[in-house]
Amino acid sequence: MASLSPGFHGRNNRSLVERLPPGQYPTESFPVLSAGPTPHVPTDRWSFTVTGETGESRNWTWDEMRALPQERPVVDIYCVTRWSKFDTRWEGVSPDVLTDAVGTSAGYVVAESFDGYTTNLPRADVTGGKRSFSPNVSSHHGMKHWAKTTS
């Protein structure tokens, strides 16, 4: 088993070993897996767009996104590639704030990344405090991931 911080006390009283699912290994790094090279987008070229079902769009620059109310959840990540990262600190914006800006009532959200990867999710699974659009995770500036903010 990989070493973990000796001074770690965690969010709860369970030891890290008890929190580690069978077949998983703990990591303190943030393994980035992708189908190709990970794109690096300078913050002066970075943008985020939400388009509602009527076609109305709202764009945010990096600085505008960082100026929105920020959430700071701390969650465990259990990756399908067998690694687990405990007490990962995220910082980001609630999708509720973003979808409210275009007044959408759509039942689904389609997320598209800089390199064209897309995924669709029921809106109810990403709103209501369940997710956070997080451009910063555990000091890894510029990463764009969805963070689960509820258990």
Side-chain angles (χ1 to χ4, degrees):
M1 179 182 285
S3 68
L4 298 168
S5 299
F8 181 82
H9 300 290
R11 292 190 316 240
N12 56 43
N13 293 331
R14 293 183 351 171
S15 74
L16 293 183
V17 173
E18 292 175 309
R19 292 165 62 191
L20 188 66
Q24 294 277 107
Y25 66 90
T27 184
E28 291 184 21
S29 66
F30 199 104
V32 177
L33 306 172
S34 64
T38 301
H40 296 280
V41 182
T43 56
D44 62 343
R45 291 186 41 223
W46 186 95
S47 68
F48 189 91
T49 304
V50 174
T51 304
E53 65 271 25
T54 64
E56 178 188 354
S57 292
R58 171 67 167 91
N59 296 314
W60 290 269
T61 64
W62 179 265
D63 291 335
E64 290 169 334
M65 184 69 105
R66 301 297 295 152
L68 293 172
Q70 301 290 303
E71 299 177 335
R72 291 172 179 81
V74 177
V75 299
D76 294 343
I77 302 170
Y78 304 100
C79 185
V80 298
T81 60
R82 299 183 335 145
W83 57 266
S84 294
K85 182 169 174 49
F86 298 109
D87 300 305
T88 308
R89 297 178 186 281
W90 300 79
E91 181 179 344
V93 177
S94 168
D96 299 275
V97 171
L98 304 172
T99 57
D100 287 351
V102 295
T104 184
S105 61
Y108 290 84
V109 173
V110 177
E112 181 177 354
S113 69
F114 179 79
D115 58 356
Y117 174 81
T118 61
T119 190
N120 59 331
L121 303 155
R123 184 174 177 211
D125 287 354
V126 298
T127 55
K130 296 180 189 140
R131 301 282 187 266
S132 175
F133 177 75
S134 300
N136 287 321
V137 55
S138 294
S139 74
H140 293 279
H141 172 74
M143 297 185 74
K144 288 92 180 161
H145 293 280
W146 289 96
K148 184 172 183 179
T149 59
T150 59
S151 52

